[in-house]
Amino acid sequence: MILVTGGAGFIGSHTCVELLDAGYEVAIIDNLCNSQRDSIDKIKQITGKDVKFYEEDLVNKEAVEKIFEENKIDAVIHFAGLKAVGESVQIPLRYYHNNILSTLVLCETMAKYGCKKLVFSSSATVYGNPHTVPIKEDFPRSTTNPYGSTKLMIEDILTDLHVSDNEWSIVLLRYFNPIGAHASGLIGENPNGIPNNLVPYIAQVAIGKLDHLNVFGDDYPTKDGTGVRDYIHVVDLSKGHVKALEKANSCTGVNTYNLGTGTGYSVLEILHAYEKACGKTLKYEIAPRRAGDIPECYADTEKSFTELGWKAELDIAQMCADSWRFTQNNL
Ligand code: NAD
Ligand code: UFG
């Protein structure tokens, strides 16, 4: 059985679908601090399979031990964490407490029960402002906010863990910008309040909840002056986790992979792709640059392709169409 921490969330729920479709048994631990219980029902509805759900906090050692007591956990995919960059600057202690302590409790419990295969959700944020693009896995790491620092620290903690005990098999996955939703329109990304991220924000403009998009800067040294990112369909990203799990099952060590498409799109390109998907013209205004943003970020995908046998397949049109379907069904 695979334990998925944060499995009720955006990427976790899609990954549970892919795991169940691939024939794995799945247990989820999630405290629902940033997700809803009905995503568990929707995972079951999409796959026609059952999942075990524990509504618990991963920092609660007794609760985590109980899960390992009740189930034979073969490997863990660890998504649970707080992820809002701006909020992490406002309430850093909450971010360090939640993201770091939950990982320590998880790893201590895994070690106690002899489960030493772990796939961890890291982020392209650990590359800081890269000196060049595309970004390779061996580029230097740095961060500019507490959220990013938790990712960097956890990468180091897991690496130290393997140094101390080489039976551990750890895969660090650095995601670029996951967007889109499941083709069923049942699960997707539905943040609380005003969205921080580009595509959820555009989705709310398209559905009429927000008036216009603020484009944060049009004077970057990029193709049209707006920020360039590597947007990846959440279903492609989830499939990458199944491949990462196979990797963890096949060898020990710490292996790090970028999960991106290798192609960068600007803010305006994404806006126009979304306009095509929803059939409307969407208003936007040029606003000042957002503090901490970098001009351009996209992945070198060579290593994940050669070592995991994985590459992204869905294009921007599909990402926007699936996001729009989910938005219409759920907002
Ligand atoms: P999400 O917020 O939708 O999912 C995270 C889930 O973890 C939520 O369901 C939340 O309730 C749960 N959770 C948080 N703290 C918990 C705790 N202490 N105990 C139990 N459950 C807890 O976020 P997501 O977009 O699905 O991201 C998943 C992971 O991927 C996160 O670690 C995030 O940092 C990382 N990541 C996300 C992105 C992105 O753009 N979405 C990019 C890079 C990395
Ligand atoms: N943007 C706007 N207007 C908005 C929101 C975003 O113009 O209302 C622009 C940003 O300036 C940036 C691009 O859209 O150029 C993408 O911004 P997002 O906030 O969607 O994503 P980021 O690249 O800033 O960060 C995301 C996650 C991080 C993660 C990183 C990894 O939020 O957690 O991807 O690459 F670390």
Side-chain angles (χ1 to χ4, degrees):
M1 177 169 282
I2 310 302
L3 178 63
V4 179
T5 79
F10 173 47
I11 307 170
S13 59
H14 287 82
T15 300
C16 288
V17 167
E18 296 304 324
L19 289 170
L20 291 162
D21 281 350
Y24 290 98
E25 288 186 302
V26 172
I28 293 173
I29 174 171
D30 198 304
N31 64 1
L32 304 181
C33 69
N34 196 38
S35 51
Q36 281 87 40
R37 177 182 285 276
D38 74 350
S39 63
I40 308 293
D41 300 325
K42 289 175 175 169
I43 293 168
K44 294 180 188 171
Q45 195 182 331
I46 292 168
T47 60
K49 296 185 179 164
D50 205 9
V51 289
K52 276 198 168 179
F53 177 54
Y54 294 89
E55 186 180 339
E56 298 287 358
D57 197 313
L58 201 53
V59 304
N60 179 348
K61 195 166 172 57
E62 287 74 44
V64 179
E65 288 202 354
K66 187 162 170 275
I67 298 173
F68 280 80
E69 208 52 67
E70 288 181 7
N71 303 281
K72 162 100 187 57
I73 304 295
D74 302 301
V76 179
I77 306 185
H78 179 29
F79 294 101
L82 301 174
K83 64 162 185 176
V85 172
E87 186 183 66
S88 80
V89 177
Q90 307 302 321
I91 46 170
L93 297 183
R94 174 129 194 269
Y95 271 69
Y96 287 113
H97 182 90
N98 189 73
N99 294 3
I100 305 286
L101 190 55
S102 62
T103 304
L104 296 178
V105 167
L106 175 67
C107 292
E108 283 163 5
T109 312
M110 289 176 71
K112 180 169 170 185
Y113 287 83
C115 172
K116 297 182 182 176
K117 298 183 199 329
L118 178 65
V119 176
F120 172 63
S121 302
S122 188
S123 168
T125 197
V126 301
Y127 295 117
N129 190 354
H131 56 287
T132 171
V133 280
I135 300 170
K136 287 182 190 289
E137 286 84 347
D138 60 3
F139 274 25
R141 299 174 315 154
S142 68
T143 65
T144 51
N145 59 72
Y147 164 72
S149 298
T150 68
K151 293 296 178 196
L152 211 141
M153 286 176 189
I154 294 169
E155 287 195 352
D156 289 343
I157 290 168
L158 297 177
T159 303
D160 287 343
L161 183 58
H162 174 262
V163 170
S164 75
D165 175 357
N166 63 16
E167 285 178 6
W168 279 86
S169 177
I170 292 161
V171 182
L172 307 176
L173 297 178
R174 295 181 182 150
Y175 313 154
F176 283 68
N177 290 54
I179 61 168
H182 193 263
S184 64
L186 288 171
I187 51 174
E189 190 175 18
N190 191 3
N192 297 329
I194 297 177
N196 295 305
N197 296 117
L198 179 65
V199 172
Y201 197 105
I202 294 177
Q204 295 206 5
V205 174
I207 201 83
K209 260 181 105 171
L210 293 169
D211 178 64
H212 66 275
L213 173 72
N214 290 304
V215 175
F216 297 144
D218 68 347
D219 56 353
Y220 285 109
T222 59
K223 45 185 142 185
D224 61 14
T226 67
V228 166
R229 296 290 183 275
D230 185 340
Y231 296 92
I232 175 167
H233 198 298
V234 64
V235 170
D236 273 333
L237 188 79
S238 298
K239 289 182 174 159
H241 289 73
V242 178
K243 295 290 189 185
L245 191 60
E246 289 168 9
K247 178 78 185 176
N249 280 328
S250 70
C251 65
T252 57
V254 180
N255 289 289
T256 305
Y257 300 104
N258 286 338
L259 295 185
T261 65
T263 305
Y265 287 94
S266 74
V267 174
L268 292 178
E269 284 175 328
I270 296 297
L271 181 73
H272 296 320
Y274 213 96
E275 286 179 326
K276 280 208 180 110
C278 70
K280 303 177 189 183
T281 302
L282 303 174
K283 276 207 287 181
Y284 71 91
E285 284 175 13
I286 304 299
R289 290 183 180 193
R290 182 171 66 179
D293 273 356
I294 56 173
E296 194 165 33
C297 171
Y298 56 91
D300 186 305
T301 57
E302 177 72 28
K303 191 180 178 205
S304 50
F305 181 61
T306 46
E307 295 189 20
L308 296 179
W310 170 88
K311 78 175 173 37
E313 281 165 357
L314 302 170
D315 63 12
I316 282 292
Q318 194 68 51
M319 298 180 214
C320 293
D322 288 336
S323 162
W324 179 233
R325 186 182 309 105
F326 174 78
T327 302
Q328 287 174 294
N329 289 350
N330 294 278
L331 254 71

